[in-house]
DNA sequence: ATAATGAATATTTTTTTGACTATTCACTGT
DNA sequence: ACAGTGAATAGTCAAAAAAATATTCATTAT
């Protein structure tokens, strides 16, 4: 019945493991198939091609990052300013961990992002909507005074690119602590700018 | 006497022309030498190697960009906020023009920047000092209220990376107008945050 | 009809090889 | 000593060949 869904998932799991350990390029369809006890040809009944497998894993990665941010939206006892700070802290942490520890996955994401611009765009769209939520909350509580929430959310996203865009996060061997300090400083300045005066 | 300085300059001029037209990789030392009416071997009496020539041209490029920013520092009749805006506008304009029109030079800068991190760092250091000057002016005139000028200048630099870092400037085919609009929005938000309340 | 396969074909990657270019050096002219 | 050179060397790049891999397809199994 939903057999095919389970098999798809198995393929993703197996591929994910191999991609992380050996990289996308060094993993063959034959190897993935073997791990699933099937022939390489049969993989094509579940995925159009190898790249599609990569894209799916990439999407999962971005989705997980989004979850990290989303969790912050629901946290109790935070004002809008503190929430914004926590939001970028989580995003930065996730991005940093990915890049620093899963080098191969980082490369996969970078490669896929180059081709499938739409993926990245959708991801940014999601982050933007999260930020917009925080801005709206700030307006509600009187902490912020934002006229155009959507366009301001976009502006905030532009100013914080250092903390979610992997190539920038990894540029020069900044320690995680340095990055967090920079993140705090940028967000603090932005919060000042957003605040009701 | 200062013969060698003039010859060095000639080599740079000739190389610059060729690099812009054909790219760094497609320009040979023999060609540069021919343009200077000398043998390839003789170039090595003036430059350690080909890469050093590229680095020098790259430096000139960055220096020119810095000049664009510096000019804004001296403009009369601008408040600190307007000056900051004008500053990033000029930087963005120069960066955009370089990337959009001098594709080969853009690649050279990108390539050299990867190796010679110190060049880029020094460049950022310069931009930072310019921003610091503007912040200090703002403090003086009462427009801004910045406690730690140096660290704040750095924060501003981080938040505006979209407008001076070539790869980001060129990411997706944003029109120049879109970029300028984004630049205005980001700087406006930062200025709000810097303002005396 | 659906799942799966081995063998055939198409693509991509790797290796090899030859040509090309950067760099060095021993030497020439001043 | 200094500016310069041609020829020798070393290293890099690019085209071609070989090998590996992705993808398709005709066929089998259930």
């Amino acid at each position: 019945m939903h057999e095919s869904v389970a098999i798809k998932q198995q393929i993703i799991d197996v591929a994910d493991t191999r991609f992380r350990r050996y990289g996308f390029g060094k993993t063959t369809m034959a190897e993935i198939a073997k791990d699933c006890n099937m022939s390489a040809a049969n993989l094509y009944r579940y995925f159009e091609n190898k790249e599609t497998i990569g894209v799916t894993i990439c999407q999962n990665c971005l989705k997980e990052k989004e979850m990290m941010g989303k969790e912050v939206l629901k946290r109790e006892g935070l004002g809008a300013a503190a929430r914004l700070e926590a939001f970028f802290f989580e995003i930065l942490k996730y991005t940093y961990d990915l890049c620093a520890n899963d080098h191969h996955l980082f490369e996969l994401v970078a490669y896929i992002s180059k081709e499938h611009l739409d993926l990245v765009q959708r991801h940014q769209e999601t982050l933007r909507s999260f930020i917009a939520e925080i801005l709206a909350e700030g307006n509600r509580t009187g902490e912020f005074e934002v006229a155009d929430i959507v366009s301001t959310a976009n502006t905030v996203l532009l100013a914080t690119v250092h903390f979610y865009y992997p190539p920038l996060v990894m540029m020069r061997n900044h320690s995680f602590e340095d990055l967090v300090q920079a993140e705090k400083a940028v967000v603090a300045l932005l919060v000042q700018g957003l605040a009701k005066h």
Side-chain angles (χ1 to χ4, degrees), chain A:
Chain A
M1 216 258 301
H2 284 139
E3 190 57 20
S4 80
V5 170
I7 294 182
K8 265 183 130 163
Q9 187 55 48
Q10 181 193 24
I11 293 170
I12 289 297
D13 290 345
V14 158
D16 186 275
T17 302
R18 278 201 180 263
F19 288 171
R20 279 178 206 255
R21 188 164 312 170
Y22 306 110
F24 182 77
K26 292 293 182 194
T27 297
T28 70
M29 291 296 268
E31 288 166 341
I32 296 173
K34 188 132 152 259
D35 289 351
C36 297
N37 299 309
M38 61 171 71
S39 68
N42 202 39
L43 289 173
Y44 291 84
R45 297 177 38 75
Y46 300 95
F47 289 94
E48 196 183 329
N49 52 34
K50 187 180 174 184
E51 179 160 320
T52 303
I53 298 179
V55 167
T56 304
I57 288 172
C58 214
Q59 279 176 320
N60 288 344
C61 228
L62 296 180
K63 205 173 295 175
E64 199 176 355
K65 188 160 153 190
E66 288 162 11
M67 288 305 166
M68 294 293 164
K70 192 162 198 171
E71 178 268 320
V72 174
L73 296 188
K74 295 187 206 125
R75 254 185 229 171
E76 298 282 336
L78 284 183
R83 197 179 305 282
L84 198 64
E85 210 290 308
F87 178 81
F88 281 110
F89 174 79
E90 293 297 335
I91 295 289
L92 169 60
K93 185 160 79 117
Y94 184 86
T95 309
Y96 184 86
D97 282 351
L98 180 79
C99 300
N101 302 327
D102 278 310
H103 193 257
H104 284 137
L105 210 48
F106 167 53
E107 281 176 1
L108 175 61
V109 174
Y111 165 68
I112 297 287
S113 299
K114 272 225 185 304
E115 318 303 301
H116 301 258
L117 264 289
D118 53 311
L119 277 200
V120 179
Q121 254 167 271
R122 239 193 310 280
H123 176 60
Q124 296 209 169
E125 200 58 60
T126 303
L127 294 184
R128 199 174 305 147
S129 77
F130 289 168
I131 295 170
E133 272 194 54
I134 299 176
L135 296 184
E137 174 192 23
N139 270 354
R140 222 163 31 238
T141 65
E143 264 183 285
F144 294 163
E145 186 175 24
V146 177
D148 183 339
I149 286 187
V150 171
S151 116
T152 304
N154 191 50
T155 303
V156 169
L157 201 61
L158 285 174
T160 51
V161 62
H162 262 109
F163 314 121
Y164 62 82
Y165 184 58
L168 281 183
V169 169
M170 285 298 98
M171 168 157 288
R172 282 187 255 149
N173 335 23
H174 280 306
S175 72
F176 179 62
E177 284 69 29
D178 285 351
L179 284 165
V180 171
Q181 200 181 336
E183 178 264 320
K184 284 194 193 314
V186 169
V187 174
L189 185 54
L190 292 174
V191 163
Q192 281 270 329
L194 298 166
K196 183 161 196 168
H197 298 125

